[in-house]
Amino acid sequence: MFTHSTMSENAYSFPFSYFFLFVKNHLKMSQNPDKLNSSEEKLSGLEDDQDENLDNSDQSVRKRIRQSAPGSHRDDTPKSTPSRPVSIEELMETAKAVTNMALAHEIVVNGDFQIKPAELPEHSLEKKVRDIVHKAFWDCLEAQLKEDPPTYDHAIKLLGEIKESLLSFLLPGHTRLRSQITEVLDLDLIKQEAENGALDISKLVKFVIGMMGTLCAPARDEDIKKLKDIHEIVPLFRAIFSVLDLMKMDMANFAVSSIRPKLMQQSAEYERKKFQEFLEKQPNSLDLVTKWLQEAADDLAKLGHEMLPPHRSDGATGGASALCFTAVQNQAYLKLLKWDHVNRPFPETVLMDQTRFLEIQLELEQLLLVGTVLLVTFSAAGPALVDVPGFAEKIKTIVKVLLTGMHLPSFNLKESLATVGEKVCAEVSSCLCQHGFTPFSAEREAVLKGQIQAVASPDNSICKLIDSRIQKFLENYLASSHQKSLPAIPGGLGPIQRELEEIAAKYIRLVNYNRMVFSPYYDAVLGKILTKEESQIVGKSEES
């Protein structure tokens, strides 16, 4: 049986423009949190009303993100060259370019990216209209075929669409299959046979099913087999089109997986080129980036970092300038993990990854509470339980389960932490008794419950300590992202080391790819920011 695997030798010759056209023409893409998000619409200034399939834990937050489009916050951004008026044609072309850029980006950063058929909500108006139109069409086809003599107008049109679908699955080298399809599904000949009452529609449909079996992936063999069991022509036509849609989806996903290695090599350059085209049409499209990087530079200055390279008489800054740029960029990326996604627009260059950065932020916020609870638990219970196999994992599981949905507006953190305290104390008492340690007294239990409930306070000192150590670990991870060895885990984070390293790895992949694509723009913006800072410092030193 011919399968899509035979395409692999030709897959890498796909040009990007053909690839994007191929995917879009074959089917509509369904969206979920790990798939193409709404960032491209935000970046192009075009709003899309289609909701994403959201996880319950951060559904309300993400919905409000879409409502806070960058355009509504422009008053808070630095003023730059005003955007010039653009025509509808330019706007549509820009939207198309941004969509292609987002698709390439999604395929590269999301290893699990897959295209699925769009599913309309059960009681939506769009689904009702679609069902009514489809029913009317198939009823009309059935009525035509029941006439005496039968009318084949609709049936011939359907055969034409089937022919085009079958031909779309072929590669240039499949000349024999192309000839067979073209010869058997010759619409002019079919029309003549229909006019002369000599058309055998069942024979043509049998050929179609056989050809579909030849071209489909092995996963569709069972679907093809079911087609052979349908004997009424109208239900058979409907089933054929349903399976063809699945085959188109298979073809598109195969193209995605085949093109990914090639795309990973060229996508950074491609995204940069498309963003530059967008920037030329909208010169103020780096306003938010400029403000973001300026704040990062200000943060480093406040922290007392060596912001600027030493001033030299020859004006050279060399490697020191590069280090300074990297330090500001790293600080800027860290700021994305503390972002107010509801009230503040995301910088333009990271907009396509806003959902991913939000997911990492929410994961870190939950991990912060888990780490804090573990620290106070081990502190209250004593060092004896630290080395008990499986104890830390049990506590983590309890805390994670009880904090599920902690980012929903309806979630009551204080009540949940009270329950966490009860469960953790029970587990501590059980473990101490089981291993023959000193029993957990009522006083120590009350203290531990109070410490766990106190985690809900924004000013909790232990929580702040764990948070600062997590941030320091991520900062060191950023600084050593090109080294083979990972930075050491700060004290107190040992019980959550595995989870923290997994989150950090996802975060670093996003950062490194974003830096690879947009570093020329960051360098240009930072050059202006740091030159301005240096001139101010030099001016102050001369005055003194």
Side-chain angles (χ1 to χ4, degrees), residues 167-375:
L167 290 175
S168 71
F169 296 136
L170 303 181
L171 290 174
H174 297 148
T175 53
R176 184 177 60 83
L177 293 175
R178 189 180 305 276
S179 297
Q180 288 182 8
I181 295 171
T182 304
E183 180 180 344
V184 175
L185 298 180
D186 184 339
L187 297 185
D188 291 334
L189 179 60
I190 292 173
K191 289 177 182 177
Q192 292 179 12
E193 292 178 345
E195 291 171 357
N196 296 319
L199 179 61
D200 187 351
I201 194 102
S202 299
K203 180 180 178 181
L204 294 177
V205 170
K206 185 177 180 181
F207 167 81
V208 167
I209 295 174
M211 187 58 66
M212 289 171 65
T214 301
L215 297 176
C216 74
R220 301 301 168 199
D221 287 347
E222 189 64 31
D223 296 311
I224 299 297
K225 184 179 178 182
K226 290 179 181 178
L227 291 179
K228 297 177 181 179
D229 296 332
I230 302 175
H231 303 292
E232 295 183 21
I233 194 66
V234 174
L236 182 55
F237 263 122
R238 296 189 69 164
I240 285 174
F241 275 96
S242 178
V243 176
L244 283 174
D245 285 341
L246 295 176
M247 290 174 62
K248 291 174 184 178
M249 184 186 67
D250 294 339
M251 192 72 163
N253 282 323
F254 177 81
V256 168
S257 62
S258 299
I259 201 70
R260 181 177 281 117
K262 186 73 171 179
L263 196 60
M264 291 183 71
Q265 299 173 17
Q266 302 181 7
S267 60
E269 181 180 345
Y270 177 79
E271 284 190 46
R272 194 181 307 119
K273 175 185 175 183
K274 291 301 178 183
F275 185 81
Q276 180 60 38
E277 293 174 0
F278 177 78
L279 189 61
E280 290 170 0
K281 292 182 173 65
Q282 298 290 330
N284 64 339
S285 296
L286 285 175
D287 285 0
L288 298 175
V289 169
T290 301
K291 184 178 181 181
W292 171 49
L293 294 176
Q294 179 68 65
E295 290 177 357
D298 294 342
D299 288 346
L300 288 182
K302 291 176 183 177
L303 291 171
H305 282 236
E306 189 63 30
M307 266 284 298
L308 297 169
H311 187 66
R312 290 170 49 177
S313 58
D314 59 2
T317 57
S321 178
L323 289 174
C324 184
F325 279 28
T326 302
V328 176
Q329 285 185 36
N330 288 349
Q331 178 63 21
Y333 285 122
L334 286 172
K335 288 178 70 66
L336 298 179
L337 300 178
K338 298 288 185 179
W339 204 265
D340 182 358
H341 291 266
V342 175
N343 299 311
R344 190 176 176 192
F346 225 50
E348 296 92 344
T349 52
V350 288
L351 193 56
M352 284 191 293
D353 285 319
Q354 181 172 12
T355 300
R356 292 185 180 87
F357 278 110
L358 171 62
E359 288 173 348
I360 292 173
Q361 181 176 340
L362 299 182
E363 288 176 8
L364 286 174
E365 288 175 2
Q366 186 186 66
L367 190 62
L368 169 61
L369 296 184
V370 173
T372 304
V373 170
L374 283 169
L375 184 61

Side-chain angles (χ1 to χ4, degrees), residues 68-79:
S68 59
S72 61
H73 297 268
R74 285 291 179 190
D75 291 341
D76 298 329
T77 60
K79 302 299 180 183

Side-chain angles (χ1 to χ4, degrees), residues 118-120 125-135:
E119 295 183 3
L120 300 177
L125 177 62
E126 186 178 357
K127 186 177 186 302
K128 290 179 181 178
V129 172
R130 186 195 66 178
D131 291 345
I132 291 172
V133 172
H134 284 192
K135 185 177 184 304

